Amino acid sequence: MTRDYVSINQGVWDADAPNWVAAGVRLWSATAPEWGNWGLPESSLGLLPEDMTDTDAIELGCGTAYVSGWMARRGARVTAIDVSEEQLTTARKLVTKYDTDITFIAGNAEETGLPDASFDFAISEYGAAIWCPPDKWLQEAWRVLRPGGRLVFLGNHPLSLLCSPIDGAPCDWTLHRPYKDMWGADWSEVEIDPSGICFNLTISAWMDLFDTIGFNVTKFQEIFAPDWAAGTRGSVPAEWAKAYPAEQIWHLEKCG
Ligand SMILES: C[S@@+](CC[C@H](N)C(=O)[O-])C[C@H]1O[C@@H](n2cnc3c(N)ncnc32)[C@H](O)[C@@H]1O
């Protein structure tokens, strides 16, 4: 990827931020965390430690920062970084509304500028997890975590990218692109619903990368749509996502 994906994605998110305010408000006010396209409950997925008292936590690509809000409610000291000033404007308003303490950084999650080994827990839900090249943001997450620190991230499953047409139409039942050498997709100039530049890998390439950087995999979850799901969310039709995993969640631990 030779294009300036950071600036392109920043522009996309600054422009799209007004469309994410309502979801941010809803998720900040949710009584319990819910995850991904279909809002699956934390009680069934377990992304967050129940008690985060005395935990230094960071969210990488926080958007409206509802995940950070959930961590703060569990007792964590939270830092949240996002490259979009417009998304952070919404996040700051919601922090004030919910009287929460979060340290915000406007910047690229691949280069946080934060000290080495300063966090116990890192998370990304559709933030750096999909908008940054895995080798870059994972190396940075590893650097800022303490030994034994945990990283959890949720994003699109590579199968859903394989079945996504090149023109930007929603995922369907055909393999539209090779799995071999998968790196992600540039949606910035597609015909239908253009957006930014996203990154993904084959499952074995993710595993190799974790190993190279120094993460152990503690859990891997492949997420399907629930039985009640209907319509299309995140460019994935419910019927497709009931049959194939549309989303993936990796739980990692920094070695050493
Ligand atoms: C879908 S939101 C993720 C936040 C929230 N969990 C959600 O699902 O709405 C994606 C966020 O990633 C941010 N982002 C994209 N590239 C980034 C980068 N290089 N560094 C930090 N944040 C980035 C965008 O600005 C956007 O706010």
Side-chain angles (χ1 to χ4, degrees), residues 213-234:
I213 291 177
F215 281 117
N216 288 326
V217 178
T218 56
K219 196 179 349 174
F220 175 54
Q221 294 161 298
E222 297 178 304
I223 307 304
F224 296 84
D227 292 342
W228 54 260
T232 295
R233 289 195 192 174

Side-chain angles (χ1 to χ4, degrees), residues 50-177:
E50 246 171 60
D51 183 0
M52 298 185 78
T53 309
D54 287 331
T55 300
D56 292 306
I58 183 164
E59 185 179 5
L60 299 161
C62 63
T64 55
Y66 53 83
V67 175
S68 291
W70 297 336
M71 294 195 292
R73 269 183 226 162
R74 289 175 180 230
R77 285 179 295 272
V78 182
T79 299
I81 184 167
D82 201 284
V83 77
S84 162
E85 278 290 355
E86 297 301 323
Q87 286 278 79
L88 288 176
T89 297
T90 307
R92 289 192 178 100
K93 284 183 189 155
L94 289 166
V95 159
T96 304
K97 178 173 177 191
Y98 287 93
D99 195 19
T100 309
D101 194 12
I102 294 171
T103 302
F104 285 112
I105 301 172
N108 180 0
E110 300 162 9
E111 301 167 349
T112 62
L114 292 162
D116 290 357
S118 41
F119 294 95
D120 308 294
F121 188 82
I123 191 161
S124 178
E125 185 209 28
Y126 283 110
I130 68 163
W131 298 100
C132 298
D135 56 334
K136 294 199 169 151
W137 81 270
L138 285 172
Q139 188 67 59
E140 180 66 355
W142 184 92
R143 188 185 68 74
V144 300
L145 280 170
R146 299 185 173 117
R150 293 173 53 194
L151 168 64
V152 177
F153 70 91
L154 185 159
N156 310 103
H157 194 287
L159 266 184
S160 65
L161 179 55
L162 278 188
C163 294
S164 296
I166 306 293
D167 65 3
C171 178
D172 65 24
W173 303 85
T174 303
L175 295 173
H176 289 283
R177 50 187 93 220

Side-chain angles (χ1 to χ4, degrees), residues 15-33:
D16 209 25
N19 300 319
W20 291 80
V21 174
V25 169
R26 186 181 71 76
L27 290 162
W28 264 92
S29 63
T31 49

